[in-house]
Structures are given as structure tokens and as C-alpha cells.
Amino acid sequence: MLRAFTARRIAAAAAYGGGGITALGGITFGLVVVEAKLARRMITATPNGDPPVADGLYGGTLGGAPLSLVMIGDSTAAGLGVHTPDETPAALLAAGLSAIADRPVRLTNVARSGSRSQALRGQVDRALQARPDIAVIMIGGNDVTGRVPPAESVRHLADAVERLRARGSHVVVGTCPDLGTVKPLMQPLRFIARRASRQLAAAQTIAAVERGARSVSLGDLLGREFAADPRSMFSEDRYHPSARGYASACAAVLPSMASALGLEPDVGDLLGDGVLPVYLAAAEAAELSGTEVRGASVEGKERGPRGRWATLLRRRTVTTDDTSPTPATHDPA
């Protein structure tokens, strides 16, 4: 009962904009502002420049018509923090998908560093020109740091998913990462950032699954590894993932992409009670990185008395070596 109550509270607060960084006041807010400025100064002291451009054809020597993959979102989707195109998450996913499908993949990355969810409309406009078979959306961190109400962020995400699905594209959403893992953040900012991040992630999951997409909880980007070895999992700015960090995230996202396209069966460890109301699955996924939430049905019905049915799944992820592209298979656009 307590677990269900907590999940309802998290999901309701996320959906309607309560809590998080927007709910602070007085001395606490002043302290957080000072800490945020210090953290930002430390992060921006190591400029990253623009992320590498990885657009092009992967697996060009393979037969068959290319699958179209589009990457949408913020700096994590764009690949800020790494130095070569093959290290970006878009390239890792394109190469991995090509290997699983045994056919070429045409990658188009419309993600832009610094984007908040309101930028999704323009990005989807550009993405649809590529006629995507599958779209991966990673966004949310800038909404949290910009104190955008979760309800506003989720409206933009829901619209993006609906438009992509209406054009026949499968959609996988990598939910908001846990900003509480960022090294320069101190308490209480670290706690507040974690709470706001997970709240938004839960709301993103509900919005995505309700509209026919799958979500993958990036959370702290498979946080045990990040917490145990932040020097290798974060890039030089101590905010964006390193090549190894992106590879860990892609290892969680790639199986969901393959399953959405029917290239691999829905294999993995069912969590919770197997099929749950989506708000319960969303709350659990926000607390457990690397988990997928997708729509389900019970006795042929997609909805129950407490909303959309969903399945919470932890997949058997591929190794990072399996997602690494080789230069010979990548033809730049």
C-alpha cells in the first residue's frame, strides 16, 4: 500500500508540475542558487565545443534497404563530451542496430546541445524529413536545471511522440538522467536535483507509454558504474558522459530499439507483478536505471481501472563492444 501511495504521489506531482526545484523558498532557495552558480562555473570551466557529427550510413556493405534512425533531444543525444563521431550515442546505436538487423542504418541526428523539451517540435519537423523507422529521444536535463515545470516539459514530449507515431515511426524515449550524480553538485542541491530528475523521468515514461512509445530509464546512466568510477564515466566537464558512459547508456537502449522493430523478442526479467498500471511502472523505473516500460494488455484490454497497463522489463543488455562501430562501416552523410 505504501509503495502504491508513493508511486501515485510521484506520478501526480510530475504530471501536474508540483515539487522539484520549483517548490523551494527562502533561505533554502538562496543556498541552492549559490550552489548552482558554483557548479555551473566548475562545469563550464572545461569547454567541450560542438559534439562530433556522426550522421551517415552504418553497415553500408550489408544488403537490404537502410533502416532510418533519427536521434532527437539535448546534448546527451547530440553526444557532447566525446571527441570522435564513433563515440557518440547516435553512432553507437546506429552501428549496433545495423549489426542486429544485418542491414544498413541511415543515421540522422537533429539533437542540439542546450535544448529543452520545447525544442522538440522543431526537431521533430526535421526528423520527419528522414522518414524514420525508429526515433530515439533523450531530453530533460536542461528542463530540470531551467526549472521548467514537469507538466510543461511532458506536454512537448507527448506531442513529439504522437507526431512520430502518426507517421509510422517507432519511438524509444531515454528518460531524464539523474542530475544528482553530477560531480560538482553539493548538498542540498544534489538531493533536489535527484528528486526533480526522477519526478520528470516518471512523467516522461507515462506520457511516452500512453502514446505508444517505449521508455528506458537512464536514471543515473546505470549509476553504480558512474558512482564507482566517475572519472571514466564522465567527460572532462564532469557533467556530460564520457565515451564509456555513453556506451553504458546505449547498452540499455539498444535492446529496446531492436525489440520495437521486431528484430529481437521481448526477452528480459519482468519486474514488479509483470503487468502494472503505467504510473506504478513509471515510478519504479525512475528508481531503477536500465529498465524499459512499454504498453501491455490484460485480457485483451489496454486500459484498466487505474489507467494504461504497462510492463516493466529489465533486458539482458549487450556489451559495450557489441555497440561499437568500425570506421569501415560508417559512410558520412
Side-chain angles (χ1 to χ4, degrees):
M1 183 66 71
L2 179 61
R3 189 188 195 104
F5 172 78
T6 302
R8 285 193 187 95
R9 178 176 55 78
I10 291 172
Y16 297 106
I21 294 178
T22 60
L24 302 175
I27 295 175
T28 302
F29 180 77
L31 177 61
V32 169
V33 169
V34 171
E35 290 184 357
K37 288 181 178 178
L38 290 172
R40 181 178 292 276
R41 190 174 302 166
M42 294 172 68
I43 291 167
T44 57
T46 308
N48 270 321
D50 294 326
V53 176
D55 291 36
L57 188 67
Y58 290 76
T61 60
L62 300 173
L67 288 168
S68 176
L69 164 64
V70 295
M71 202 79 174
I72 302 170
D74 56 21
S75 55
T76 55
L80 194 64
V82 297
H83 303 292
T84 66
D86 290 347
E87 294 175 321
T88 64
L92 294 171
L93 292 175
L97 184 60
S98 174
I100 292 171
D102 195 29
R103 60 190 284 196
V105 171
R106 172 72 65 181
L107 170 64
T108 305
N109 194 339
V110 300
R112 294 294 180 268
S113 297
S115 293
R116 298 177 183 176
S117 295
Q118 66 181 12
L120 289 175
R121 172 164 286 277
Q123 290 188 18
V124 170
D125 287 343
R126 295 189 294 276
L128 289 175
Q129 296 176 17
R131 298 182 179 180
D133 295 294
I134 188 162
V136 176
I137 303 175
M138 294 182 180
I139 204 159
N142 295 314
D143 294 73
V144 172
T145 59
R147 294 192 291 154
V148 178
E152 179 181 336
S153 300
V154 168
R155 279 197 299 271
H156 294 299
L157 176 64
D159 178 69
V161 172
E162 284 182 345
R163 293 177 63 202
L164 288 162
R165 293 289 294 148
R167 294 286 289 272
S169 175
H170 297 281
V171 182
V172 176
V173 176
T175 58
C176 181
D178 183 354
L179 299 186
T181 63
V182 175
K183 193 66 173 176
L185 299 187
M186 298 176 287
Q187 297 292 11
L189 184 58
R190 184 185 296 271
F191 168 79
I192 294 167
R194 172 169 285 119
R195 181 173 181 266
S197 301
R198 293 183 179 182
Q199 191 177 89
L200 179 56
Q204 288 176 323
T205 291
I206 295 169
V209 174
E210 285 277 6
R211 289 158 182 82
R214 301 180 184 219
S215 74
V216 177
S217 173
L218 298 184
D220 45 12
L221 292 173
L222 310 184
R224 290 184 181 178
E225 295 176 59
F226 273 73
D229 193 7
R231 287 184 177 274
S232 67
M233 301 301 279
F234 283 106
S235 63
E236 289 92 338
D237 66 7
R238 293 186 287 173
Y239 183 80
H240 294 94
S242 64
R244 183 180 169 196
Y246 280 129
S248 290
C250 290
V253 173
L254 182 58
S256 296
M257 294 169 58
S259 179
L261 288 166
L263 300 173
E264 286 192 345
D266 285 320
V267 175
D269 299 320
L270 288 175
L271 305 178
D273 297 323
V275 177
L276 304 168
V278 66
Y279 73 88
L280 285 176
E284 292 212 22
E287 299 292 328
L288 187 59
S289 301
T291 54
E292 176 193 306
V293 180
R294 58 181 171 84
S297 61
V298 175
E299 296 179 348
K301 297 180 180 180
E302 293 185 347
R303 307 187 71 84
R306 291 183 291 176
R308 183 74 164 90
W309 292 116
T311 296
L312 186 68
L313 188 70
R314 193 174 187 94
R315 293 189 179 278
R316 302 186 187 101
T317 57
V318 296
T319 65
T320 55
D321 288 341
D322 291 332
T323 64
S324 299
T326 58
T329 65
H330 174 207
D331 298 323

